[in-house]
Structure formats: structure tokens, C-alpha cells
Amino acid sequence: MRVHGLDCSSTSVSGRGCPYFDPEYDTLSLRLDPPSVVIDNTSCPDATLIKVDSKNKHGILLEVVQVLTDLDLAISKAYISSDGGWFMDVFHVTDQLGNKLIDEGIIDYIQQSLGAKQDSQTTEVQTCLGRRFSLRSNTEQTAIELCGRDRPGLLSDISGVLKDMMCNVVAAEVWTHNLRVACVVYVTDEVTGGPIEDEKKLAVIKARLSQALQGDESGKGSKTDIPMAVLHTERRLHQIMSADFAAIQPESTNTFVAAADKTRPAISVQNCAEKGYSVVNVRCKDRPKLLFDTVCTLTDMKYVVFHAAIRSEGSFAYQEYYIRLMDGCTLKSEAEQEYVVKCLEAAIERRTGGGIRLELCTKDRVGLLSDVTRIFRENGLSVTRADVSTQGDKAVNVFYVTDASGNPVDRRIVEATRKEIGQSILQVKDLTPSSPNSQHEVASKSRFSFGTFLYSLGLINSQQV
């Protein structure tokens, strides 16, 4: 049978009789009606406006926010609407130094990443913080995922195992929260310089890392996995810790935050019954990648953001989301609302590991991470968060450290550690760097509520604003 010139009786290449679908069909709608991405540097004196119009699909908001935050951009304000078949949003952004976007490579990269520019040649850019970011996924490394109970010296043990197994750590990211740890490590084979392909070696690595994670009888809920690929490290870390959170349910999690405690996230969930939305309000200290963390959590919990308003005022961020589940339902039960509050609070806090920030930059070599973290452990330093990367032949690593009890570290110990590693190699940075939004006052001073905006359009009544 032939329909419009297509032979519907043709079989797949495998010969199993499955209908053949042209792979070009998946991108047909994108090519016929590509997203519109406008970079506007004239409308706002203090920020670049990025306007995105596209056909709506689940997760598109996260895709956009992910692209912007991966480029080390600060989002000071955003208006999002996707109630229907079309997605429209506006982001007010600067780089982390408070400047507008003038780098043509960055602008081209944004348009290419969001599908608005199909013929672009930009595949790698350098952010204002000096990080290089590539549009192409790197398949020349082996990814390892770990999750379990945190303890002093754990990162040293993990990196020690990898060193013994002749693995070179190319990149890694470590998060800790509520005495739990999640880690994604990218390694190469020391001999071949490529991914580890020996299945027996992979099995031994997995077994030894699992043993290091368990440590003692307190290794409840530990998990080691070697996936085929990790599409986005930070999203994967959120997923790992969210799954671990659901399984372990730490007793130390504080569900409801007192209004007087302005250092903790204040999160509330209410139902807008008239229009069938659940309204999530978040107030917390502003910081880079905050919007990514909350949008990522809602998306992976299968909630759809129909409307949202985001703003920064001074050092605080305010976020308001109008959401439903993918099946159209709202958060009806108190237990469900409480769980969303817990998950959002955890997502906000898990990236902000306390401690002194130490930055290491030196020539990369096999075993470097193992040697550095061993010295940390020998000096009583515990790593609460780490970002390990390789740029060319340089290792560029960031560590947040406390003492073994989680308390601030004596500066004399820090200086002794620096002396042992190399004072020119290991630098001490400010513990809580100021947000670029507070430095440059990118955000508008007016207090905007999306609820007020919807009320002005007659979509909700005044009691719900």
C-alpha cells in the first residue's frame, strides 16, 4: 500500500516487519516551525532580554533554563507562559559579572542550542568565568554515579580507588545534603586515554567503589552505577539525590520554615481551585543556578509549569509557579503539597554546601584528585561539595570544606594544607560570594506578583492573590 508516495509495506533494516519511519520526521515540526529566539540588548538598560517562542512540550522550560545556566548567566527576572500549545517566555539575564551579553559566540550558541539556528558552526564557547562549554556530548569518557551516606574522607577513598584502578579523573561533581552524598565522576583509562571498555575492569571498579561507599554498617542505601551516558550532570545529581531522598527520608529535613528564619527557603503551596492550578511560592537567598534547581525539580516530579514569575530583589529571590501534574490534576492532598515543599527545599539547599571555598589550578596528572583529597583528610578537612574539571592540560577544581564535624575550619589548618599542596596552587576564596544581582541591581525594584497579573486579566479572584 502506498500513501502520498510512501510505501507503508516496507520493513525495517532488521527485517522484522516493523513499519519504517523516516528519522527526519522527528525534526519535521522543528524545521517547519522552528523556535523563535530573540536576543534584545536595547529594551532594558541593565540586562539582556532573551525572548523564546516555541511550540509547547513537557520540559521545554527546563531546556531553556539549562542552556542559560550552563553558560554561567544570571537570571534576574523571568516571565513564563505555556497555557496552551505555545510556549512564550522572557528572561532578563547578565553574565556573572553583571554585564549584558555582547559575545557573538555566546548569542549564536544560545540560538543554536534552542533550535532557532540550525546552520550555526558554534560548537564550543567560553563563559565569563573562563569555563569552556561544548554543545557536543563527550562520549570519550566513562561516567560513574555514586550515592550513599556521607562521611569525612569519602571523596579521598573514592579517588584513591580510581587511582589504584589506573583511572584518570577528567571531571567530577559532588553534592552533599542531610548526611547523604551524590557524585558523578567522568574517568578515562590511564593506558588508552579513552573510555574504559574492559567489562571485567568495570565490574571490579564498581565493586570496589561500592565497598568504599558502604564503609561500615552505616552504608544503608548506597548505590554505584556505571551508565551508558549522562546527558546533564547537574540534572542527574538532582535525580539521584531526589530518589535517595524518597527512599531514605532523612529525619533531619525541616519541612516548614519559620518566617523569622530568613536564611532558609520559605516555600508554600496553595490551590487556585477556580482555574485548576496549584500555586508554588518560593522565597530564599538568591544565588547562581537557583532557577535551574527549582525548575529541574518540578519537571522531574512530572509537574507542568503553565505560568511563572521570577524576580531578584537585592540578595533574595522570589519565584511563583502555577503548576499541574501532567495528567491535569492539582496537588489535592496536604501530604502531596508537603512533599513538594520538602523536595524543593532540598533542591535549593543541596547545592549550597557550606564551608570555605578552595580553588585549585595546576597541571593535570593521574592521581591528582586522590593526592589532594588525601591531604585534606590528613588535615581534618571534610569536602561538602566539589566541582572537578579539566581544561586542556590544567586541572581546575573547586572544593568547599569544613572540619570533620561540619564546623568552620580553623584558618591555620587551611594555611597548613595550602603549604603542603602548594600555596600558589590552592587558593582560598570568599565563602559566600555576593550575587551579581545584588552587586549590579539588575532586578527591578517593583514587587511583581504573577497572581496580581492574572487577577488584572480576570483569571483569578482577589482572594487568591
Side-chain angles (χ1 to χ4, degrees):
M1 181 178 68
R2 301 182 69 87
V3 179
H4 297 295
L6 296 179
D7 186 356
C8 297
S9 64
S10 59
T11 59
S12 66
V13 176
S14 63
R16 296 179 182 176
C18 300
Y20 171 78
F21 292 98
D22 190 338
E24 293 289 317
Y25 179 79
D26 287 339
T27 60
L28 179 61
S29 62
L30 182 64
R31 288 181 282 115
L32 292 179
D33 198 1
S36 169
V37 180
V38 176
I39 313 293
D40 180 1
N41 270 316
T42 60
S43 298
C44 180
D46 300 317
T48 297
L49 271 58
I50 299 179
K51 306 171 185 178
V52 182
D53 292 342
S54 172
K55 282 191 173 181
N56 195 18
K57 65 176 181 178
H58 181 64
I60 189 171
L61 174 60
L62 177 59
E63 290 178 13
V64 176
V65 172
Q66 181 175 298
V67 169
L68 300 182
T69 54
D70 282 345
L71 294 173
D72 293 327
L73 301 181
I75 302 172
S76 60
K77 191 188 299 183
Y79 306 103
I80 292 117
S81 179
S82 62
D83 201 347
W86 204 254
F87 171 80
M88 298 175 290
D89 56 355
V90 178
F91 297 91
H92 293 231
V93 306
T94 64
D95 63 24
Q96 291 292 329
L97 303 177
N99 303 313
K100 288 186 177 185
L101 307 188
I102 58 174
D103 187 326
E104 290 297 330
I106 294 287
I107 292 173
D108 192 66
Y109 185 92
I110 292 172
Q111 293 178 326
Q112 182 185 6
S113 300
L114 299 180
K117 199 170 185 179
Q118 301 297 316
D119 58 349
S120 174
Q121 300 300 314
T122 302
T123 57
E124 184 179 82
V125 292
Q126 182 171 318
T127 73
C128 67
L129 301 182
R131 292 196 314 116
R132 291 195 173 274
F133 198 81
S134 175
L135 189 65
R136 298 171 180 169
S137 60
N138 194 337
T139 58
E140 299 303 314
Q141 304 159 3
T142 297
I144 304 174
E145 299 177 353
L146 304 106
C147 181
R149 184 176 179 85
D150 189 28
R151 59 178 173 80
L154 178 59
L155 183 56
S156 174
D157 289 342
I158 291 172
S159 55
V161 168
L162 295 175
K163 179 182 179 181
D164 290 345
M165 295 300 299
M166 300 181 68
C167 298
N168 183 35
V169 178
V170 178
E173 192 145 355
V174 182
W175 290 357
T176 63
H177 184 241
N178 279 329
L179 302 179
R180 306 294 293 179
V181 61
C183 179
V184 178
V185 186
Y186 297 89
V187 301
T188 57
D189 191 303
E190 181 182 349
V191 177
T192 65
I196 302 170
E197 298 177 348
D198 188 333
E199 294 295 333
K200 291 183 178 179
K201 182 174 181 177
L202 288 173
V204 174
I205 291 172
K206 184 174 180 179
R208 291 193 58 184
L209 288 174
S210 297
Q211 186 178 15
L213 265 181
Q214 293 172 1
D216 50 31
E217 296 180 358
S218 63
K220 178 183 177 183
S222 62
K223 182 179 179 181
T224 305
D225 192 21
I226 303 179
M228 293 295 294
V230 177
L231 297 181
H232 191 269
T233 303
E234 293 174 338
R235 184 176 184 183
R236 187 64 192 130
L237 282 168
H238 274 302
Q239 292 172 343
I240 293 170
M241 298 205 84
S242 293
D244 182 69
F245 173 80
I248 302 298
Q249 283 292 304
E251 297 180 358
S252 59
T253 300
N254 181 15
T255 305
F256 298 102
V257 182
D261 186 1
K262 296 184 178 181
T263 63
R264 300 287 302 277
I267 304 169
S268 66
V269 180
Q270 296 176 327
N271 279 334
C272 173
E274 183 178 343
K275 291 299 175 182
Y277 294 119
S278 292
V279 185
V280 179
N281 279 282
V282 179
R283 177 190 181 276
C284 64
K285 293 281 289 183
D286 195 18
R287 60 165 174 78
K289 300 193 177 183
L290 175 65
L291 182 58
F292 171 82
D293 294 337
T294 53
V295 170
C296 180
T297 300
L298 291 172
T299 302
D300 285 336
M301 292 179 74
K302 307 302 181 184
Y303 290 107
V304 180
V305 177
F306 288 90
H307 304 284
I310 313 297
R311 75 180 190 277
S312 299
E313 290 186 1
S315 61
F316 280 87
Y318 301 85
Q319 301 180 352
E320 188 170 42
Y321 299 100
Y322 285 71
I323 67 171
R324 297 183 192 135
L325 280 165
M326 291 183 67
D327 60 7
C329 295
T330 58
L331 287 72
K332 295 180 179 179
S333 70
E334 185 176 337
E336 188 176 10
Q337 294 178 7
E338 181 180 328
Y339 186 65
V340 169
V341 171
K342 284 184 177 181
C343 290
L344 284 172
E345 185 180 67
I348 292 170
E349 292 183 337
R350 66 172 60 115
R351 193 195 286 270
T352 57
I356 293 178
R357 178 185 171 109
L358 303 177
E359 296 184 0
L360 180 144
C361 183
T362 187
K363 186 176 178 61
D364 189 34
R365 59 178 173 80
V366 175
L368 175 64
L369 181 62
S370 174
D371 294 342
V372 170
T373 53
R374 173 184 54 78
I375 294 172
F376 285 170
R377 180 175 61 181
E378 291 172 351
N379 284 275
L381 303 182
S382 180
V383 178
T384 62
R385 187 156 62 97
D387 184 357
V388 176
S389 63
T390 306
Q391 299 179 12
D393 64 344
K394 294 286 186 181
V396 182
N397 304 340
V398 176
F399 303 96
Y400 290 81
V401 298
T402 65
D403 68 12
S405 301
N407 299 317
V409 182
D410 189 319
R411 289 297 178 125
R412 291 173 295 182
I413 295 178
V414 173
E415 290 306 314
T417 305
R418 289 185 61 214
K419 186 175 181 180
E420 189 170 354
I421 294 175
Q423 291 180 324
S424 62
I425 294 174
L426 188 65
Q427 301 289 331
V428 180
K429 297 296 180 178
D430 189 10
L431 169 62
T432 53
S434 359
S435 164
N437 297 337
S438 63
Q439 293 176 0
H440 299 275
E441 296 296 330
V442 176
S444 168
K445 295 299 183 181
S446 60
R447 296 182 64 84
F448 177 85
S449 166
F450 205 80
T452 305
F453 175 66
L454 293 179
Y455 170 62
S456 69
L457 296 179
L459 297 179
I460 62 175
N461 60 46
S462 59
Q463 293 179 346
Q464 294 169 321
V465 177

